[in-house]
Amino acid sequence: MTATDKATPRLACAYPQLHVLDVERAAEFYVDMLGFKLIYLYGTPPFYGLVERDGAGFNFRHVDASTIDAALRDRESLISANIPVYGVEEL
């Protein structure tokens, strides 16, 4: 980041928080299948974690049950995060 970049306030990135039943398993999927880098896992077993790739990141937070009603999610096409990807077929 240059000095000019710092002079103009702007958002640098976003790290959506995804609620998951198994933080370690979610992180392993993103690392092994999608090429993300594991940044950290907290706890034993992990209750929180972060993965990153190409400037995009996801925080994983353990929950014991879904925080979104499945019928509402399906009916309204709810999503937790949207990251455009170039070359998605190769990924």
Side-chain angles (χ1 to χ4, degrees), residues 27-48:
E28 285 174 358
F29 175 82
Y30 277 75
V31 169
D32 296 342
M33 301 300 292
L34 301 176
F36 279 71
K37 178 181 177 186
L38 178 64
I39 304 304
Y40 58 75
L41 292 175
Y42 287 133
T44 305
F47 63 89
Y48 203 80

Side-chain angles (χ1 to χ4, degrees), residues 7-91:
T8 304
R10 64 185 180 92
L11 300 177
C13 61
Y15 290 86
Q17 186 176 102
L18 304 179
H19 297 162
V20 299
L21 299 176
D22 188 327
V23 170
E24 189 168 22
R25 186 171 171 205
E28 285 174 358
F29 175 82
Y30 277 75
V31 169
D32 296 342
M33 301 300 292
L34 301 176
F36 279 71
K37 178 181 177 186
L38 178 64
I39 304 304
Y40 58 75
L41 292 175
Y42 287 133
T44 305
F47 63 89
Y48 203 80
L50 172 65
V51 295
E52 291 182 338
R53 178 177 175 168
D54 303 329
F58 290 103
N59 287 301
F60 300 117
R61 179 175 175 233
H62 170 78
V63 293
D64 290 324
S66 178
T67 57
I68 297 177
D69 175 65
L72 174 65
R73 179 196 63 223
D74 295 341
R75 185 176 66 248
E76 300 294 330
S77 299
L78 299 178
I79 60 172
S80 297
N82 179 27
I83 299 176
V85 176
Y86 299 107
V88 71
E89 293 81 14
E90 290 81 7
L91 180 64

